[in-house]
Amino acid sequence: MDDWILEPSVHSLNTVNPVRETVSSIKLPTDFPKPTYSLALGDPSYYPDFAAHSFVVDAAVEALRSGQGNGYTDSLGYGPARETLARAYSYDNIRLTKDDVIIDIGGTGAIHTILQVFLNPGDNILISSPGFPLYKTMAQNLNAEAITYNLKPYSNWEVDLEDLERKVTPRTKMIVVVNPCNPCGSVFSKEHLMDILNWAEKHHVCILADEVYHGMTFGKPHYPLGSLTDTVPVFTVGALSKIFLVPGWRCGWVLIYDKYNKCEKYRPAINKIKNMLLHPAPFIMQAIPKIYENLPENYFAEVMQKVKERAEVVKNKLADVAALNTGSPEGSLYCMVAIDFINMDVKSSVEFAQKLAQEEGVVIMPAEAFLSHSAFRIVLCHPIHVIEECMDRIKSFIQRHTV
Amino acid sequence: MDDWILEPSVHSLNTVNPVRETVSSIKLPTDFPKPTYSLALGDPSYYPDFAAHSFVVDAAVEALRSGQGNGYTDSLGYGPARETLARAYSYDNIRLTKDDVIIDIGGTGAIHTILQVFLNPGDNILISSPGFPLYKTMAQNLNAEAITYNLKPYSNWEVDLEDLERKVTPRTKMIVVVNPCNPCGSVFSKEHLMDILNWAEKHHVCILADEVYHGMTFGKPHYPLGSLTDTVPVFTVGALSKIFLVPGWRCGWVLIYDKYNKCEKYRPAINKIKNMLLHPAPFIMQAIPKIYENLPENYFAEVMQKVKERAEVVKNKLADVAALNTGSPEGSLYCMVAIDFINMDVKSSVEFAQKLAQEEGVVIMPAEAFLSHSAFRIVLCHPIHVIEECMDRIKSFIQRHTV
């Protein structure tokens, strides 16, 4: 007889990624006669054209070799790096200091810290659909909820403000706004961002601005939310991950834009959480001042030119496919393609993705993986000839499945 | 009128480090006439004699330069590193596979993952006094409790098994055993570890074996708890941090010793938590196979010889001080010195530490910082002449305060 009772905690079992099963149902055939491709992996470092630049890697190697970054540091992050980030992300309306910057373990860690201090059990945050399921997973871990609001697929994935109005509750603590947008590839106009800020002001809801793709546009200006308001507290999440093409370095940050100190009580709470979970590797943080100092003026333009070329291929190749709408991708590393199933014999983007993988050897991420439907996301990082080949296969697939 | 209601979550405010105030009350004078020293900082990388060795740093630089470790990887950790660790920490009684190894964000992250899956609100873990307050902070974050059991200061800091018996409750999920011991510098005998295992078996309590100082002894064998039992599930926490003198690299691990798979339900729960919080930097994990492959045979002996020399200085210098008892330090990087206040005009180790800092310019960590009392911890990493000087000052202090 063995009566050890060994049951994991309820909240750990609730820490579910809601789209994991969907994603794992999309399988490439084992014996496909041509090369197979995945346009699903949102990790730029995986693609040869998007390798980290040497000014980034050199800065980390130098810090590692110095021997000064092997130990513990301030649990809110290495001071000079926080100063660099405060300078880099200060705007005309608001100057950040080191104290407004917390360096965290990736963008993921930064989001986790914010949700830890904002959410009591039963509270909720509003997240976009399509959007990032991690927010839902983390909210569930805290016995809280992530409620989705719609983005409008045929209006360049702008926020459906009427839907927001329907979804907000008295327990809503934050709205998450991802801009430039993963997964949609959209970049919001200043006017649209002002509409969102006015909505937040009206409902007294703070903003979590997920700006992990800060400045990554094809030319359209990116307005950081912190630069547009004095009165709505904005907690901005950034990271080295995507802007410097090193997601594995696990170094992100929280920037607190709160001119009138409405959120002063959150600061000691953040300290407590960070004293528990600590900081990313100090030598990586030590690289930050050097990285920003050595940042070539045309760095983002060069990186984004490559993404834009790929977006153009997708747009041009799919322009004459009636069932698909690429919209006008404007930034980040993605294009979200809306599907109209009306004349097709497949009826969901999951089915679309499953059959496309089996029949054409191309993996795309269905919108269900982003808490949405009737669309799919393409990562714009493969070599251009691969993207061309994949678009041709998608076109064949659509033709074959149009009834 | 401004009626934004902005209150941080209750659990974030409960994420208290119970000893922070104690620690910050110990201040060096600003105008001390001689050099001042802190024997309190438990970060070996800070001390010139304990810099990371080149086979460790070179492995990380090589991985960083390769460009293959900048992206995301398996959320349980980089596969080949998990295989290396499985081989390194398999024992005659039990062979680990990659699936028994989770690489986490430092020892801290590893502990956090285990507590997340073990503790429901209202549950408790047993931790030692003296011990590591982080466990208490993390338990409180989960609305659970950390209950302290005593180590015996005059029996080489062995576990007081009778006290354990008094402290266990029906909601006790784990006992934390730190060996080699931070803060006590002790290394448990095989017999004593068997007593602890028998106790755990009797109460059906799993073990969290904090073996972050694995193998770091002055010669006495270190018996990993996983090597001594087939029937008590042992979750061992290790890390690169202390054994390779790079605590800032934030790379630790959980090893699951569970021969009869009693804890099988915990594995998917761990996966869920790790899918949320992800892994440490992949290039650091990629260094692990190389580090273990290139590990010089005499590496630990060399490092620990330096620690032992410092421990001898402390022991010899304090041997004739009746109020102090150094015991016989046996490993880790610390010595815990018990204080007998009976003939002294200071009455607590906090007061002792505060006055020692003010009067002698020497900072030591009072046992209150480790949830205990009547003792202090010395870090054995400073150059020997500094330790000698500090011991002389401690002796002067004791003389002056003996009544």
Side-chain angles (χ1 to χ4, degrees):
Chain A
M1 259 297 286
D2 186 335
D3 58 352
W4 288 69
I5 299 165
L6 293 169
E7 296 288 341
S9 69
V10 173
H11 69 94
S12 68
L13 295 177
N14 286 343
T15 309
V16 175
N17 181 331
V19 304
R20 181 157 284 268
E21 274 183 40
T22 301
V23 171
S24 62
S25 75
I26 300 156
K27 293 192 181 75
L28 285 165
T30 46
D31 55 349
F32 201 72
K34 293 188 282 185
T36 59
Y37 301 106
S38 171
L39 303 179
L41 185 67
D43 177 347
S45 78
Y46 174 81
Y47 304 91
D49 291 334
F50 292 86
H53 289 213
S54 59
F55 74 95
V56 177
V57 177
D58 289 349
V61 169
E62 190 185 315
L64 183 50
R65 282 274 180 225
S66 79
Q68 301 303 303
N70 293 333
Y72 297 120
T73 185
D74 185 337
S75 59
L76 299 183
Y78 175 65
R82 291 163 66 200
E83 279 162 17
T84 294
L85 296 170
R87 274 195 302 277
Y89 301 110
S90 280
Y91 306 114
D92 288 346
N93 63 318
I94 187 163
R95 310 301 301 170
L96 300 185
T97 73
K98 190 185 91 162
D99 295 334
D100 302 312
V101 179
I102 298 103
I103 303 187
D104 218 312
I105 300 164
T108 307
I111 293 166
H112 182 254
T113 296
I114 297 173
L115 298 191
Q116 279 264 348
V117 301
F118 266 85
L119 295 180
N120 275 313
D123 287 342
N124 68 66
I125 51 171
L126 297 172
I127 65 172
S128 64
S129 160
F132 204 39
L134 179 74
Y135 286 101
K136 206 174 175 83
T137 309
M138 285 190 180
Q140 287 167 179
N141 177 256
L142 296 168
N143 298 310
E145 201 184 350
I147 299 174
T148 55
Y149 63 86
N150 291 330
L151 302 181
K152 297 193 280 190
Y154 296 96
S155 303
N156 266 327
W157 304 102
E158 286 197 337
V159 173
D160 182 341
L161 291 158
E162 288 169 25
D163 193 43
L164 264 192
E165 202 64 29
R166 282 189 293 271
K167 299 294 177 59
V168 67
T169 83
R171 298 292 298 269
T172 300
K173 290 301 183 69
M174 295 200 114
I175 173 172
V176 178
V177 179
V178 186
N179 181 49
C181 184
N182 173 14
C184 296
S186 45
V187 178
F188 292 151
S189 70
K190 189 172 176 179
E191 293 66 33
H192 186 56
L193 290 166
M194 291 309 300
D195 287 343
I196 296 170
L197 284 166
N198 289 335
W199 181 88
E201 178 94 52
K202 184 175 101 181
H203 288 282
H204 290 183
V205 167
C206 294
I207 292 188
L208 193 164
D210 182 334
E211 296 177 359
V212 163
Y213 295 88
H214 183 104
M216 297 180 79
T217 80
F218 302 158
K220 184 170 176 177
H222 165 231
Y223 294 97
L225 269 165
S227 73
L228 298 179
T229 178
D230 289 343
T231 52
V232 178
V234 175
F235 288 70
T236 297
V237 171
L240 295 181
S241 308
K242 302 298 167 78
I243 59 179
F244 295 117
L245 310 170
V246 288
W249 287 16
R250 318 294 299 115
C251 186
W253 49 80
V254 180
L255 311 171
I256 304 178
Y257 297 93
D258 182 25
K259 197 165 190 168
Y260 299 113
N261 225 2
K262 291 179 182 173
C263 289
E264 62 175 325
K265 291 184 182 169
Y266 287 84
R267 293 174 188 257
I270 289 174
N271 291 354
K272 288 182 161 79
I273 295 297
K274 290 317 301 166
N275 280 332
M276 175 176 76
L277 287 176
L278 301 182
H279 48 70
F283 67 84
I284 294 176
M285 293 191 277
Q286 286 175 359
I288 288 177
K290 196 58 82 68
I291 289 171
Y292 278 77
E293 192 182 304
N294 293 342
L295 178 63
E297 208 179 328
N298 59 351
Y299 170 77
F300 286 108
E302 262 184 32
V303 170
M304 293 313 293
Q305 180 58 31
K306 291 193 248 181
V307 184
K308 186 180 178 186
E309 285 166 12
R310 287 155 176 79
E312 295 294 338
V313 169
V314 170
K315 243 179 94 171
N316 295 337
K317 283 274 186 184
L318 301 185
D320 59 352
V321 182
L324 301 182
N325 185 330
T326 61
S328 292
E330 296 166 321
S332 81
L333 299 171
Y334 314 100
C335 174
M336 196 77 170
V337 183
I339 315 174
D340 182 349
F341 292 110
I342 189 121
N343 292 318
M344 292 185 68
D345 65 3
V346 296
K347 290 299 171 200
S348 78
S349 23
V350 173
E351 188 188 353
F352 185 104
Q354 289 165 337
K355 290 191 167 155
L356 182 70
Q358 285 298 318
E359 296 173 21
E360 299 287 349
V362 172
V363 175
I364 48 86
M365 198 64 95
E368 281 78 354
F370 305 106
L371 310 167
S372 183
H373 60 85
S374 306
F376 61 90
R377 188 189 77 167
I378 294 173
V379 177
L380 300 171
C381 294
H382 270 292
I384 285 182
H385 72 273
V386 171
I387 302 216
E388 286 173 336
E389 167 74 17
C390 290
M391 293 309 113
D392 288 338
R393 294 194 198 176
I394 287 173
K395 287 175 79 164
S396 305
F397 177 83
I398 297 268
Q399 260 177 338
R400 199 162 56 250
H401 288 278
T402 300
V403 289
Chain B
M1 260 298 287
D2 187 336
D3 58 351
W4 288 69
I5 299 166
L6 294 169
E7 295 288 340
S9 69
V10 173
H11 69 94
S12 68
L13 295 178
N14 285 343
T15 309
V16 175
N17 181 331
V19 304
R20 181 158 284 268
E21 274 183 40
T22 301
V23 172
S24 61
S25 75
I26 300 156
K27 293 192 180 77
L28 285 165
T30 46
D31 55 349
F32 202 71
K34 293 187 282 186
T36 59
Y37 301 106
S38 171
L39 303 179
L41 186 68
D43 177 347
S45 78
Y46 174 80
Y47 305 91
D49 291 333
F50 292 86
H53 289 212
S54 59
F55 74 95
V56 177
V57 177
D58 289 349
V61 170
E62 190 185 314
L64 183 50
R65 282 273 180 226
S66 79
Q68 301 302 304
N70 293 334
Y72 297 120
T73 185
D74 185 337
S75 59
L76 299 183
Y78 175 64
R82 291 163 66 200
E83 279 162 17
T84 294
L85 296 170
R87 274 195 302 277
Y89 301 110
S90 280
Y91 306 114
D92 288 345
N93 63 318
I94 187 162
R95 311 301 301 170
L96 300 185
T97 73
K98 190 184 90 163
D99 295 334
D100 302 312
V101 179
I102 298 104
I103 303 187
D104 217 313
I105 300 165
T108 307
I111 292 166
H112 182 254
T113 297
I114 296 173
L115 298 191
Q116 278 265 347
V117 301
F118 265 86
L119 295 180
N120 275 312
D123 287 342
N124 68 67
I125 51 170
L126 297 172
I127 65 172
S128 64
S129 160
F132 203 39
L134 179 75
Y135 286 101
K136 207 174 175 81
T137 309
M138 285 189 180
Q140 288 167 178
N141 177 256
L142 296 168
N143 298 310
E145 201 184 349
I147 298 174
T148 55
Y149 64 86
N150 291 329
L151 302 181
K152 297 193 281 189
Y154 297 96
S155 303
N156 267 328
W157 304 102
E158 286 198 336
V159 173
D160 182 342
L161 291 158
E162 288 169 24
D163 193 43
L164 263 191
E165 202 64 29
R166 283 189 293 271
K167 300 293 177 59
V168 67
T169 83
R171 298 292 297 269
T172 301
K173 290 300 183 68
M174 295 200 115
I175 173 172
V176 177
V177 179
V178 186
N179 182 48
C181 184
N182 174 13
C184 297
S186 45
V187 177
F188 293 151
S189 70
K190 188 172 176 179
E191 293 65 35
H192 186 56
L193 290 165
M194 292 308 301
D195 288 343
I196 296 170
L197 284 166
N198 289 335
W199 180 89
E201 177 94 52
K202 184 175 103 181
H203 288 282
H204 290 183
V205 167
C206 295
I207 292 189
L208 192 163
D210 182 334
E211 295 178 359
V212 163
Y213 295 88
H214 183 104
M216 297 180 79
T217 81
F218 302 159
K220 185 171 176 177
H222 165 232
Y223 295 97
L225 268 165
S227 73
L228 298 179
T229 179
D230 288 343
T231 52
V232 178
V234 175
F235 288 69
T236 297
V237 171
L240 295 181
S241 308
K242 302 299 167 78
I243 59 179
F244 295 117
L245 310 170
V246 288
W249 287 16
R250 319 293 298 115
C251 185
W253 49 80
V254 180
L255 310 171
I256 304 178
Y257 298 93
D258 182 25
K259 197 165 191 168
Y260 299 113
N261 224 1
K262 291 179 181 172
C263 288
E264 63 175 325
K265 291 184 182 170
Y266 287 84
R267 293 173 188 258
I270 289 175
N271 291 354
K272 288 182 162 79
I273 295 297
K274 290 317 301 167
N275 281 332
M276 175 175 75
L277 287 175
L278 301 182
H279 48 70
F283 67 84
I284 294 176
M285 294 191 277
Q286 286 175 359
I288 289 177
K290 195 59 81 70
I291 290 171
Y292 278 78
E293 193 182 303
N294 293 342
L295 178 62
E297 208 178 328
N298 59 350
Y299 170 77
F300 286 108
E302 262 185 34
V303 170
M304 293 313 292
Q305 179 58 31
K306 291 194 248 181
V307 184
K308 187 180 178 186
E309 284 166 12
R310 286 155 176 79
E312 294 293 338
V313 169
V314 170
K315 242 179 94 171
N316 294 337
K317 284 274 186 184
L318 302 184
D320 59 352
V321 182
L324 301 182
N325 185 330
T326 62
S328 292
E330 296 166 321
S332 81
L333 299 171
Y334 314 100
C335 174
M336 195 78 170
V337 183
I339 315 174
D340 182 349
F341 292 110
I342 189 119
N343 292 318
M344 292 186 69
D345 65 3
V346 297
K347 291 299 171 200
S348 77
S349 23
V350 172
E351 188 189 353
F352 185 104
Q354 289 165 338
K355 291 191 167 156
L356 182 70
Q358 285 298 318
E359 297 173 20
E360 299 287 349
V362 172
V363 175
I364 48 86
M365 199 64 95
E368 281 78 354
F370 305 106
L371 310 168
S372 184
H373 60 85
S374 306
F376 61 89
R377 187 189 77 168
I378 294 173
V379 177
L380 300 171
C381 294
H382 270 292
I384 285 182
H385 72 273
V386 171
I387 302 216
E388 286 173 335
E389 167 75 17
C390 291
M391 293 310 112
D392 288 339
R393 295 193 197 176
I394 288 173
K395 286 174 78 163
S396 305
F397 178 82
I398 297 268
Q399 261 177 336
R400 199 163 54 250
H401 288 278
T402 300
V403 288

